[in-house]
Structures are given as C-alpha cells and as structure tokens.
Amino acid sequence: MRIVVALGGNALLKRGQPLTAQAQGIAIDEAALLLSAAAASGHQLIVTHGNGPQVGLLALQSAAGPAISALPLDALGAESEGWIGYGIEIALRNALPEDAVVVTLLTQTLVDPKDEAFAHPTKPIGPTYDEATAKRFAETNNWSVAPDGKFWRRIVASPKPIRIIELASIKRLADSGAIVICAGGGGIPVCKGPDQKLSGIEAVIDKDATSGLLAEQIGADMFVMLTDVSGVCIDYGTKRARVISRASPRALADMSASFGTGSMGPKVAAACHFVSTTGRAAIGALGDLNEIIIGTRGTIVCPEGGEISFRDVP
Ligand code: ADP
Ligand code: MG
C-alpha cells in the first residue's frame, strides 16, 4: 500500500522531555525502526511530521538576537523542516538497507492571505509560560499569546492549506520507489500576490491538515497519524475513557465536541476528510504503527456504515 505517515510532535519527543538533540535523537530512532519495518513489509511510505516545539524554539532564539536578525515564521518553518527532516532521514538511513532511497524535500504549502486565521491566531507554538512572562513577551516581541490549559503560550495564525507546491515532485519520487520525507510542519506557508508570484507568509500550518491533503492528492491507500495516545477516546481524561477502535466519519461527526480543539480535533477532521474522498485513515500511538496498518490497533476511520466500536484503554 501507499501510506502517508504523519509523525506528531508527541511521537517525536516524549511528553515532558526537554527539546534536546539527544532526546529527539532517541525518539526519532524509535520512529525510524517502526517505519523501516513497514517499508520491509512492502509498503511505500511518505513521511510527514509536525514542528510545534521546534519552530517555537527557533522563534525564541531568533527573537533573542538583534532585532534586525529576527526571522519571519516562513523562514523558521523552512529551518525546522530541514532540521527535523534531516533527523528523520539519517535515522531512516541507519535503519534501512544501504540501497534504500530516502529523500527529504523542502515543501511549500499555498495558503490564502485572506484566510480568517490571520485575523484570529489559534495555533500554540513553543514553550509554556506563566501569564506575566507571556504578556511581557507579547509586548517585547509583538506576539499574540493565549492561555493553553494552566499555562500561556505564543499563538500564531494557522491558515487552511490549499495546495502543496511540490506535489508533482513528491509523486514522481514516490512512484520511483523513494521514501519521501516532506510537508514537515505542515509545509512552509506561502501565498500568491496579485502578480501571481509566490512569497512566504507568517503562519504555521496544521501538519495533519496538510498531510491529509497530501494523502488525498497523491492517491494514498492509507493515511496514518501517529501521536502519544493509543487512539481517539470518548470520555478522554476520565476513568470511563475508551478507545474508538473503528468508526465512520458519520459516527465521529456526532461526537466532535469530545476531541480537543487544538489536538485531537484536527486529526479527526483530517481523517474524516480523507476517508470521505479517498481511502482508510487511522490515528494511534507511534509504537503501534505496524498493527495500525493491519487494522488491529489505533482508531481506524473507514467509510462503511454509521457504526462505531470501542476497546479498553491499554
Ligand atoms: P501531536 O502533536 O503528536 O500531533 P497533539 O498533541 O496535537 O499530538 O494531539 C494528541 C493529543 O490529543 C493527545 O496527547 C491527547 O492529550 C489529546 N486529546 C484531546 N482529546 C482527545 C481524545 N478525545 N482522545 C484522545 N486524545 C485526545
Ligand atoms: Mg498537534
């Protein structure tokens, strides 16, 4: 099968772990072993990834330097795509046979400069702060900040992805048998001006939305989103929580209020959209990748029926 695998920030760095090169290396090596097992079973992989913690850290580093050197978010998105893509590529090379072809592609994603997300930033990036520190940064760095649970974080615009600029290149590479690492961090946000020329724009696109668009347009048989929970839960965070083992988009639509708006919500939305236009989607834990592909773990979203089934949280 041709499978788009989206690696979440939580799949690439254990929750609560510091964003050190060593901690990321360990997490990425684990992901690479699982991906190489999937490739060894004959699946053709296109690997995408998030960049939330990394792009936030780069923004902080950039803001700490002289004001004239502060970089816009599209440049930081390109940096994080290169940084994380390089990490995944080297780990995959170490896990795969020497003759495997692995390519990391800097990917740009077209957005609409009139997208209402630019007026209402919602996407949290970077570390958490107390309220006073967040408000100080808002003042000094000209950031938007908002509460995220008990803490505060910087928030940025997260416009809808419209088109993946390198789609034809990604398709050619995948058709030729390469494992392609692309659309990192949702892709570098670009827009078209009145002269139809492309230019970067300050935003961070949701990686699940871009990955879903890519999966659809590249004709993937399956779209898998990996994170740190074993699947989509009902009654999440309570003792009654249960994992949804299988559901149709119709069944999930009735429950959309129970999926976190900045976390599980976009994954469920991306899964349902892919299933309604193309194939089968799944959401689950990184370590379960190969069981998710055969359909025995994770939450499988498939078109048939309006039914829903559950299993206990492991
Ligand atoms: P990633 O960055 O790995 O893509 P997110 O943090 O965006 O992952 O989304 C995964 C998180 O969604 C889980 O760690 C969990 O805390 C949260 N979440 C919110 N609602 C649910 C739910 N109904 N079922 C499972 N997880 C949920
Ligand atoms: Mg996320």
Side-chain angles (χ1 to χ4, degrees), residues 8-10 15 207 227-229 231 233 236 258-260 263-264 267:
N10 295 312
R15 203 174 278 277
K207 71 107 182 24
T227 180
D228 61 348
V229 286
C233 296
Y236 181 70
S258 42
F259 313 135
S263 54
M264 195 47 83
K267 293 186 204 310

Side-chain angles (χ1 to χ4, degrees), residues 54-64 73 76 125 141 143 154:
Q54 290 85 355
V55 80
L57 182 73
L58 291 172
L60 263 181
Q61 288 176 340
S62 172
L73 280 171
L76 298 174
I125 61 164
N141 299 345
W143 288 355
R154 179 181 182 190

Side-chain angles (χ1 to χ4, degrees), residues 149-167:
K150 279 187 294 187
F151 297 98
W152 282 63
R153 286 178 87 185
R154 179 181 182 190
I155 49 165
V156 300
S158 189
K160 194 163 112 12
I162 297 174
R163 189 158 68 79
I164 292 155
I165 303 292
E166 291 80 4
L167 183 71

